Amino acid sequence: MKITGARVIITCPGRNFVTLKIETDQGTYGIGDATLNGRELAVAAYLEHHVIPNLIGRDAHRIEDIWQFLYRGAYWRRGPVTMTAIAAVDTALWDLKAKAAGLPLYQLLGGASREGVMVYGHANGADIDSAVAEVGRYVEMGYKAIRVQAAIPGVKGSYGVGRGKDGYEPAESALPYETVWSTPAYLDFAPKLFDAVREAHGPDIELLHDVHHRLTPIEAARLGRALEPHRLFWMEDCTPAENQEAFRLVRQHTTTPLAVGEIFNSIHDCRTLIQEQLIDYIRATVVHAGGITHLRQIAALAALYQVRTGSHGATDLSPVCMGAALHFDLWVPNFGIQEYMRHTEATDAVFPHAYTFKDGYMHPGETPGHGVDIDEDLAARHPYDPKQLPVARLADGTMWNW
Ligand code: KDG
Ligand code: MG
């Protein structure tokens, strides 16, 4: 099965997506997600100039060798752009191999370890009451687990909350929208939000919360403690994780489970976090962490330390990533949960897919491959629209972590 061609397809059905399509001499093709929110063209250029010329003529079945060639062979290793490009190739090759075998991808990984994949949705509110109501809407849709975020009073552009539009899509303008961050206001507000949600919806629903890298370790420890009575499923990205040792301090002070990893692209980003059992869930995902080939190494390391997976699944990860992730989730022994922030109808139309949602669980479907396709004619009707993620500053103007 020789690779005869590969193309990058960029489309914007409401938001930007980059897709790699690899074609073979068997008349087959596989696709992989290459979307890096706000930096789409960097990955597209890396693929077009530095990766695709190396693929032509290779045996598409040699997934591991191609992965090693692109990773070791590049000399300049790791980083989000490189690893997203490698992930796109890897996902497309797994898609091709599974199609050649006539099997859904999860069967090639080792078969199903469970009947369905538990997912969590996003309940966001402009204030506590609307967040509580939004949780109710997700409960009615059948979700067993829900992430809850609400606007902090007096704080401009709180993370996770839309600004009067349908759905939450943070990459909203060509140049970054400037938000303001206040740690004291947030630390005061977050426990009140979860008081209200537990009061309205009871003890059974699983609740998650994303701090989005805003706190220092000691502040994160304080929040973790304050949220212990609310029994969160996890507190996510409570402090930046470039310094993995920072989590030792958080861990010493709280039993609230910790999740990290949506911006990780390598096993080395989380080695200390996992080996010292400083986290409970690793959130690395197919598209940004080197594809299925690398993600399964991360998951295998995590399994040794009872750390479970909780892959990132925001809308900036395309349905192609979602499909591949669901195959991975159905198989991976130490599965925890999968994020599922629903795509719009326009996006779903460009990416027809076999995966389904029912009663809080998803299934990748039984279509050979990863079960997600791209309608190229429709994709071409949605041209690229440059958008960047916001930035955050403290009240005095100091740049902060968004
Ligand atoms: O592109 C950035 C988003 O993917 C991120 O802000 C979403 O934190 C996120 C999450 O947990 O879904
Ligand atoms: Mg997050």
Side-chain angles (χ1 to χ4, degrees):
M1 189 166 61
K2 259 204 174 113
I3 298 176
T4 51
R7 278 179 298 121
V8 175
I9 303 158
I10 305 178
T11 181
C12 184
R15 70 159 346 284
N16 294 309
F17 294 110
V18 182
T19 308
L20 176 70
K21 184 168 190 172
I22 298 181
E23 290 160 337
T24 74
D25 61 357
Q26 309 292 302
T28 54
Y29 64 86
I31 59 173
D33 183 18
T35 310
L36 185 62
N37 204 5
R39 295 291 184 268
E40 296 85 7
L41 300 187
V43 183
Y46 189 79
L47 281 167
E48 278 166 352
H49 298 296
H50 307 293
V51 173
I52 289 174
N54 288 294
L55 297 178
I56 310 303
R58 283 178 196 273
D59 179 358
H61 275 305
R62 296 185 63 173
I63 298 176
E64 188 66 51
D65 184 61
I66 291 174
W67 196 96
Q68 296 291 336
F69 180 89
L70 294 173
Y71 181 81
R72 283 176 201 276
Y75 188 61
W76 311 107
R77 292 182 190 175
R78 301 164 60 185
V81 174
T82 308
M83 296 304 280
T84 300
I86 293 177
V89 174
D90 188 76
T91 306
L93 294 180
W94 277 105
D95 190 27
L96 272 164
K97 191 186 276 292
K99 282 174 175 165
L103 291 169
L105 176 49
Y106 74 83
Q107 294 290 13
L108 267 57
L109 296 173
S113 300
R114 53 197 56 81
E115 306 311 314
V117 170
M118 184 161 87
V119 295
Y120 69 90
H122 284 203
N124 310 321
D127 53 29
I128 288 182
D129 286 349
S130 46
V132 167
E134 203 49 14
V135 172
R137 203 168 68 80
Y138 274 84
V139 170
E140 272 169 29
M141 282 192 274
Y143 282 84
K144 311 284 181 252
I146 302 165
R147 185 186 98 154
V148 190
Q149 310 288 142
I152 308 159
V155 174
K156 177 190 163 198
S158 300
Y159 168 75
V161 184
R163 292 194 301 129
K165 289 182 287 143
D166 291 344
Y168 174 61
E169 199 57 74
E172 56 180 320
S173 46
L175 293 176
Y177 172 67
E178 297 221 349
T179 65
V180 175
W181 177 250
S182 165
T183 295
Y186 172 68
L187 288 178
D188 179 57
F189 175 74
K192 293 178 186 154
L193 170 64
F194 283 93
D195 280 342
V197 174
R198 278 283 178 229
E199 169 83 21
H201 297 290
D204 294 337
I205 186 83
E206 299 288 4
L207 299 176
L208 302 86
H209 182 64
D210 192 348
V211 183
H212 221 260
H213 324 272
R214 303 295 166 90
L215 300 177
T216 65
I218 198 69
E219 291 161 354
R222 186 176 138 203
L223 179 64
R225 255 198 198 176
L227 294 177
E228 279 170 20
H230 306 95
R231 199 191 52 76
L232 292 196
F233 187 91
W234 78 36
M235 176 169 79
E236 177 182 333
D237 287 338
C238 60
T239 194
E242 287 115 318
N243 174 13
Q244 298 178 49
E245 287 80 5
F247 278 74
R248 289 180 188 147
L249 191 144
V250 185
R251 198 62 157 173
Q252 277 162 19
H253 291 287
T254 180
T255 57
T256 293
L258 304 175
V260 183
E262 68 183 34
I263 62 171
F264 292 171
N265 51 70
S266 158
I267 197 166
H268 301 291
D269 295 332
C270 48
R271 212 153 27 90
T272 304
L273 288 170
I274 290 172
Q275 289 176 328
E276 292 189 19
Q277 294 180 303
L278 301 178
I279 57 172
D280 301 280
Y281 296 92
I282 178 69
R283 284 182 37 74
T285 192
V286 174
V287 59
H288 298 139
I292 286 172
T293 297
H294 194 57
L295 191 60
R296 70 178 176 181
Q297 286 192 326
I298 295 175
L301 177 68
L304 298 179
Y305 298 95
Q306 297 184 52
V307 174
R308 293 190 284 161
T309 66
S311 285
H312 188 203
T315 41
D316 48 290
L317 286 62
S318 93
V320 181
C321 174
M322 194 68 205
L326 289 168
H327 284 272
F328 188 86
D329 297 336
L330 197 67
W331 156 72
V332 70
N334 50 325
F335 172 73
I337 199 167
Q338 167 70 50
E339 182 178 17
Y340 176 47
M341 192 181 163
R342 288 160 178 266
H343 289 109
T344 60
E345 277 179 25
T347 295
D348 285 342
V350 171
F351 296 98
H353 51 258
Y355 59 75
T356 49
F357 170 91
K358 190 167 177 261
D359 294 334
Y361 290 83
M362 292 184 76
H363 195 283
E366 300 295 341
T367 306
H370 56 47
V372 185
D373 207 344
I374 181 163
D375 179 336
E376 287 196 61
D377 292 335
L378 195 53
R381 280 188 244 153
H382 301 287
Y384 179 64
D385 183 13
K387 294 268 194 314
Q388 293 190 37
L389 286 167
V391 295
R393 290 185 188 275
L394 303 182
D396 69 358
T398 306
M399 279 297 295
W400 201 244
N401 316 304
W402 177 74

